[in-house]
Amino acid sequence: MVFSLKGKTAIVTGGGSGIGKAIATTFAKQGAYVCILDFNVENGNATVSEIEKDKGSTSFYQCDVANQEQVEDIFNEIAKNNPIDILVNNAGIAHVGNIENTNSEDLDRLYNVNIKGVYNGMRAAIPYFKKQKKGVIVNMASIASSVGISDRFAYSMTKGAVLTMTYSVAKDYVAEGIRCNCISPARVHTPFVDGFIAKNYPDNQAEMFENLSKTQPIGRMGKPEEIAHLALYLCSDEASFITGTDFPIDGGFIKLNG
């Protein structure tokens, strides 16, 4: 099977919804044992149920990725019976605002999840990968890590850090058999997008959805499954020559705008 993950154990943070859920279910279909880490118990259990209904192998761990001790404990528990092969650092939160209306609490909250959460995951996984002389990390960055996006000051800051952490880890551990890449999506249609529109534009949701879709040159938002398919490739043996690379998946946003 091309892009098979049979016999591999994959940890997916934020695997309870949106892109993370799509990655978790896709990996399970390709034979991986998928360990879902998510703060939301209901979402995490729902993803587990969907995978098990499809005869996949999975477990759920409630986790605050900003809590280093908790992350390390979960990785240690998983590794007792299943050598860890893949880490997808997908958990993240968003924020709308420029520097003037981003307060220090906003900044700390995004830092703790989007930066420290990725750091905690990689720091917990790398010792296992070093012992095995192999391992794959995929971090979820954003097009906001490489181009200017209006009213995304704090979010862009954190995703820029994800991008550069990816490069650093790839460089430091390439000789250890560890590959590290990141994916940079543009706007993807997830439950977060629907919730954002419903909260901020309750009287013209359809119009705003269409407007957001048109900001992508291709004329629509991405689908979570499309991001998952790229993650699957990067985590498969077919991508064994790829490390230290950012992969925009953006409907032409970066190159075709402006």
Side-chain angles (χ1 to χ4, degrees), residues 8 30 34 46 56-57 69-70 113 122-123 127-128 150 198 213 241 243-244:
K8 297 183 184 295
Q30 293 302 107
V34 181
S57 180
E69 183 177 357
Q70 188 178 88
V113 176
M122 292 196 291
R123 195 172 190 274
Y128 291 107
S150 299
S213 298
F241 199 57
T243 192

mmCIF file of all heavy atoms in Angstrom, residues 8 30 34 46 56-57 69-70 113 122-123 127-128 150 198 213 241 243-244:
data_model
loop_
_atom_site.group_PDB
_atom_site.id
_atom_site.type_symbol
_atom_site.label_atom_id
_atom_site.label_comp_id
_atom_site.label_asym_id
_atom_site.label_seq_id
_atom_site.Cartn_x
_atom_site.Cartn_y
_atom_site.Cartn_z
ATOM 1 N N LYS A 8 2.949 1.480 12.592
ATOM 2 C CA LYS A 8 3.515 2.702 13.171
ATOM 3 C C LYS A 8 2.560 3.291 14.213
ATOM 4 O O LYS A 8 1.341 3.179 14.090
ATOM 5 C CB LYS A 8 3.804 3.733 12.082
ATOM 6 C CG LYS A 8 4.851 3.282 11.064
ATOM 7 C CD LYS A 8 5.144 4.386 10.064
ATOM 8 C CE LYS A 8 6.124 3.929 8.986
ATOM 9 N NZ LYS A 8 7.464 3.630 9.553
ATOM 10 N N GLN A 30 -4.793 4.288 7.194
ATOM 11 C CA GLN A 30 -3.562 3.796 6.565
ATOM 12 C C GLN A 30 -2.784 2.869 7.483
ATOM 13 O O GLN A 30 -1.639 2.532 7.192
ATOM 14 C CB GLN A 30 -2.689 4.976 6.143
ATOM 15 C CG GLN A 30 -3.281 5.816 5.016
ATOM 16 C CD GLN A 30 -3.561 5.002 3.764
ATOM 17 O OE1 GLN A 30 -4.718 4.719 3.453
ATOM 18 N NE2 GLN A 30 -2.512 4.611 3.058
ATOM 19 N N VAL A 34 -3.195 5.324 16.296
ATOM 20 C CA VAL A 34 -3.228 6.772 16.468
ATOM 21 C C VAL A 34 -3.569 7.136 17.912
ATOM 22 O O VAL A 34 -4.628 6.755 18.426
ATOM 23 C CB VAL A 34 -4.251 7.416 15.513
ATOM 24 C CG1 VAL A 34 -4.249 8.936 15.686
ATOM 25 C CG2 VAL A 34 -3.938 7.052 14.069
ATOM 26 N N ALA A 46 -15.126 11.428 20.456
ATOM 27 C CA ALA A 46 -15.878 11.324 19.199
ATOM 28 C C ALA A 46 -14.967 10.867 18.062
ATOM 29 O O ALA A 46 -15.370 10.044 17.222
ATOM 30 C CB ALA A 46 -16.520 12.663 18.858
ATOM 31 N N GLY A 56 -10.337 0.978 12.941
ATOM 32 C CA GLY A 56 -9.000 1.479 13.174
ATOM 33 C C GLY A 56 -8.569 1.307 14.620
ATOM 34 O O GLY A 56 -9.362 0.966 15.499
ATOM 35 N N SER A 57 -7.296 1.558 14.880
ATOM 36 C CA SER A 57 -6.714 1.385 16.208
ATOM 37 C C SER A 57 -6.335 2.758 16.777
ATOM 38 O O SER A 57 -5.590 3.513 16.138
ATOM 39 C CB SER A 57 -5.468 0.498 16.124
ATOM 40 O OG SER A 57 -4.880 0.306 17.377
ATOM 41 N N GLU A 69 4.857 18.667 31.953
ATOM 42 C CA GLU A 69 4.847 17.427 32.737
ATOM 43 C C GLU A 69 3.758 16.484 32.244
ATOM 44 O O GLU A 69 3.989 15.268 32.108
ATOM 45 C CB GLU A 69 4.635 17.744 34.218
ATOM 46 C CG GLU A 69 4.687 16.520 35.116
ATOM 47 C CD GLU A 69 4.536 16.854 36.598
ATOM 48 O OE1 GLU A 69 4.438 18.054 36.920
ATOM 49 O OE2 GLU A 69 4.515 15.913 37.418
ATOM 50 N N GLN A 70 2.596 17.018 31.958
ATOM 51 C CA GLN A 70 1.503 16.194 31.470
ATOM 52 C C GLN A 70 1.835 15.594 30.110
ATOM 53 O O GLN A 70 1.582 14.400 29.872
ATOM 54 C CB GLN A 70 0.227 17.032 31.377
ATOM 55 C CG GLN A 70 -1.023 16.234 31.067
ATOM 56 C CD GLN A 70 -2.261 17.109 31.041
ATOM 57 O OE1 GLN A 70 -2.605 17.660 30.009
ATOM 58 N NE2 GLN A 70 -2.921 17.249 32.187
ATOM 59 N N VAL A 113 0.095 27.769 24.112
ATOM 60 C CA VAL A 113 -0.445 26.666 23.307
ATOM 61 C C VAL A 113 0.327 26.499 21.998
ATOM 62 O O VAL A 113 0.799 25.402 21.674
ATOM 63 C CB VAL A 113 -1.944 26.884 23.012
ATOM 64 C CG1 VAL A 113 -2.478 25.774 22.097
ATOM 65 C CG2 VAL A 113 -2.736 26.930 24.307
ATOM 66 N N MET A 122 7.703 18.138 20.848
ATOM 67 C CA MET A 122 8.972 17.726 20.243
ATOM 68 C C MET A 122 9.983 17.313 21.299
ATOM 69 O O MET A 122 10.718 16.336 21.130
ATOM 70 C CB MET A 122 9.528 18.856 19.373
ATOM 71 C CG MET A 122 8.707 19.132 18.130
ATOM 72 S SD MET A 122 9.568 20.109 16.881
ATOM 73 C CE MET A 122 9.677 21.702 17.713
ATOM 74 N N ARG A 123 10.021 18.038 22.403
ATOM 75 C CA ARG A 123 10.976 17.717 23.463
ATOM 76 C C ARG A 123 10.688 16.355 24.083
ATOM 77 O O ARG A 123 11.605 15.644 24.502
ATOM 78 C CB ARG A 123 10.956 18.804 24.538
ATOM 79 C CG ARG A 123 12.149 18.750 25.476
ATOM 80 C CD ARG A 123 12.181 19.969 26.388
ATOM 81 N NE ARG A 123 13.431 20.045 27.125
ATOM 82 C CZ ARG A 123 13.657 19.432 28.285
ATOM 83 N NH1 ARG A 123 12.706 18.689 28.818
ATOM 84 N NH2 ARG A 123 14.819 19.548 28.904
ATOM 85 N N PRO A 127 13.782 12.261 22.465
ATOM 86 C CA PRO A 127 14.591 11.208 23.105
ATOM 87 C C PRO A 127 14.238 9.801 22.629
ATOM 88 O O PRO A 127 15.127 8.955 22.465
ATOM 89 C CB PRO A 127 14.281 11.392 24.592
ATOM 90 C CG PRO A 127 13.927 12.835 24.729
ATOM 91 C CD PRO A 127 13.183 13.173 23.463
ATOM 92 N N TYR A 128 12.966 9.546 22.397
ATOM 93 C CA TYR A 128 12.556 8.236 21.875
ATOM 94 C C TYR A 128 13.037 8.051 20.440
ATOM 95 O O TYR A 128 13.516 6.972 20.062
ATOM 96 C CB TYR A 128 11.036 8.088 21.947
ATOM 97 C CG TYR A 128 10.508 7.979 23.359
ATOM 98 C CD1 TYR A 128 9.825 9.035 23.938
ATOM 99 C CD2 TYR A 128 10.715 6.835 24.109
ATOM 100 C CE1 TYR A 128 9.352 8.948 25.239
ATOM 101 C CE2 TYR A 128 10.243 6.729 25.412
ATOM 102 C CZ TYR A 128 9.565 7.793 25.973
ATOM 103 O OH TYR A 128 9.103 7.702 27.252
ATOM 104 N N SER A 150 -3.555 40.655 7.897
ATOM 105 C CA SER A 150 -4.137 41.718 8.716
ATOM 106 C C SER A 150 -4.766 41.159 9.991
ATOM 107 O O SER A 150 -5.409 40.105 9.973
ATOM 108 C CB SER A 150 -5.203 42.472 7.926
ATOM 109 O OG SER A 150 -4.647 43.073 6.774
ATOM 110 N N ALA A 198 -20.330 32.605 12.971
ATOM 111 C CA ALA A 198 -21.596 32.671 13.705
ATOM 112 C C ALA A 198 -21.529 33.682 14.844
ATOM 113 O O ALA A 198 -22.505 34.403 15.110
ATOM 114 C CB ALA A 198 -21.945 31.293 14.244
ATOM 115 N N SER A 213 -14.092 32.678 1.615
ATOM 116 C CA SER A 213 -13.701 31.702 0.586
ATOM 117 C C SER A 213 -13.012 32.393 -0.588
ATOM 118 O O SER A 213 -12.043 31.875 -1.147
ATOM 119 C CB SER A 213 -14.937 30.948 0.090
ATOM 120 O OG SER A 213 -15.544 30.216 1.136
ATOM 121 N N PHE A 241 13.173 11.348 2.077
ATOM 122 C CA PHE A 241 14.256 12.260 1.681
ATOM 123 C C PHE A 241 13.902 13.721 1.968
ATOM 124 O O PHE A 241 14.612 14.624 1.560
ATOM 125 C CB PHE A 241 14.567 12.070 0.188
ATOM 126 C CG PHE A 241 15.915 12.589 -0.240
ATOM 127 C CD1 PHE A 241 17.082 12.154 0.356
ATOM 128 C CD2 PHE A 241 16.017 13.528 -1.255
ATOM 129 C CE1 PHE A 241 18.325 12.628 -0.047
ATOM 130 C CE2 PHE A 241 17.256 14.018 -1.678
ATOM 131 C CZ PHE A 241 18.412 13.555 -1.064
ATOM 132 N N THR A 243 13.181 16.725 4.681
ATOM 133 C CA THR A 243 13.255 17.256 6.041
ATOM 134 C C THR A 243 13.627 18.733 5.993
ATOM 135 O O THR A 243 14.211 19.207 5.012
ATOM 136 C CB THR A 243 14.252 16.468 6.907
ATOM 137 O OG1 THR A 243 14.072 16.835 8.285
ATOM 138 C CG2 THR A 243 15.701 16.715 6.493
ATOM 139 N N GLY A 244 13.258 19.452 7.044
ATOM 140 C CA GLY A 244 13.583 20.868 7.130
ATOM 141 C C GLY A 244 12.879 21.731 6.109
ATOM 142 O O GLY A 244 13.408 22.747 5.658
#
